Amino acid sequence: MKASILLVDDHEIVRRGCRELLVHADYQVTHEAASGEDAWRLFLAESPQVMMLDLSMDNMGGLEIIRRVHAHDSRTAIIVFTMHDEPTYATRALKAGAMGYITKTSPPESLLEGIEKVLKGSIYLSQDIAQAIALSELSIHDNPVKALSAREFEVFQLLVDGHSNPQIAQTLSLSHKSVSNYVVRIKHKLAADSIADLVRLAINQGLTKHNMAPDRGLKTAH
C-alpha cells in the first residue's frame, strides 16, 4: 500500500468518490473528517502522510487547519481540494503551508498526480488554477484584497459569507474584541464603509460562495 491519507470534506459524496479513487490506486485512506475540528483532532492522533482538505469547513476554516498542521509537522503533505478557483485562495493556501491545490472541476487523474508530486516534495497545481495564478500576476488590475494579512483575509472571507462577529470569533478561536479590531482594519485597508461594501468587493473579485458552481465531486474510479 502507498501513503496514508486523511480526507477532509464536509460533503460525504465527495469523500466517498475520493476514497474509492484513492483506494483503487492503492493509497490508504485511514480516516475521514467532515469538520475542521475533527480534521485537527484526527491529524494529531494519526499523523497521516497526506492531508487532503477543502477550504470551506465548519468550526475551523481550511486555511487555519493548513497553518496549524504545517506548524505542528511540516512533513505532512497538504493538498487543497476545493471549488474555490480564484487565484487568491490558492496563493493564500500555499503561503499557509499547502503543497498542492486542485479544483474539484479537475479530472480525477489530477488528484492522483498531485499526491505523487507532493509526496516527492514538489508543489502541484491543477492546470486551471496554475493558469489563473499566471494570468493574475500579469493583470494590470491589482486585487485590493492582497493588502490583507492572512488572518485578516480569513475574517474577511467569513464576513462576506454572512458570519457574524461572534460566529467568527468562535470559528477562529479569537476574542470578540480581536474580531472587531480585525473588521475595522479590513474596512480601512479596503476603503469600505460597511459590510455591504465588502460583499460587493468580494463578488467583484470572485471571492464569495455565491460565485461558485455546484459541487461536482469526483467520478468514481473503476
Side-chain angles (χ1 to χ4, degrees):
M1 297 289 286
K2 299 180 182 179
S4 59
I5 299 175
L6 170 60
L7 286 178
V8 185
D9 198 293
D10 57 357
H11 291 92
E12 184 178 357
I13 191 170
V14 175
R15 297 198 309 273
R16 181 180 300 178
C18 289
R19 182 176 63 247
E20 293 188 18
L21 175 70
L22 296 171
V23 170
H24 183 79
D26 289 333
Y27 286 104
Q28 304 176 65
V29 180
T30 54
H31 288 85
E32 299 178 22
S35 70
E37 288 184 353
D38 285 345
W40 177 240
R41 175 179 56 81
L42 286 169
F43 164 75
L44 292 176
E46 302 297 331
S47 299
Q49 293 170 274
V50 179
M51 175 182 282
M52 194 177 75
L53 79 160
D54 196 357
L55 289 180
S56 301
M57 301 293 301
D58 291 335
N59 306 121
M60 187 187 303
L63 290 176
E64 177 66 14
I65 299 171
I66 294 169
R67 193 159 36 244
R68 289 191 185 190
V69 169
H70 185 68
H72 186 83
D73 188 351
S74 60
R75 295 171 299 178
T76 300
I78 305 170
I79 294 179
V80 173
F81 185 55
T82 182
M83 281 301 299
H84 287 291
D85 59 1
E86 213 286 331
T88 299
Y89 284 106
T91 54
R92 295 279 178 173
L94 294 172
K95 287 180 180 179
M99 295 183 66
Y101 197 100
I102 302 171
T103 60
K104 290 181 178 177
T105 53
S106 302
E109 293 77 15
S110 295
L111 195 54
L112 299 178
E113 183 180 357
I115 293 172
E116 292 179 4
K117 291 287 187 180
V118 300
L119 283 172
K120 294 177 181 178
S122 300
I123 298 295
Y124 182 85
L125 303 174
S126 57
Q127 185 174 358
D128 55 346
I129 203 66
Q131 182 178 21
I133 291 175
L135 291 174
S136 70
E137 293 298 324
L138 296 173
S139 175
I140 61 174
H141 303 292
D142 193 26
N143 182 352
V145 179
K146 291 180 180 179
L148 302 180
S149 69
R151 181 62 87 184
E152 288 168 351
F153 180 75
E154 284 186 301
V155 174
F156 168 78
Q157 180 185 0
L158 291 170
L159 275 174
V160 300
D161 282 341
H163 292 73
S164 65
N165 283 18
Q167 289 173 325
I168 294 172
Q170 182 178 10
T171 298
L172 299 179
S173 299
L174 297 171
S175 68
H176 289 193
K177 182 178 180 180
S178 293
V179 172
S180 296
N181 290 338
Y182 278 123
V183 172
V184 170
R185 290 206 294 270
I186 290 167
K187 288 180 178 178
H188 176 72
K189 287 186 176 182
L190 300 181
D193 295 324
S194 66
I195 301 300
D197 289 339
L198 295 178
V199 171
R200 280 191 287 271
L201 174 61
I203 291 174
N204 289 336
Q205 296 294 333
L207 297 174
T208 68
K209 293 178 180 177
H210 309 292
N211 295 335
M212 290 158 50
D215 194 329
R216 300 180 191 176
L218 271 182
K219 295 180 181 179
T220 300
H222 295 288

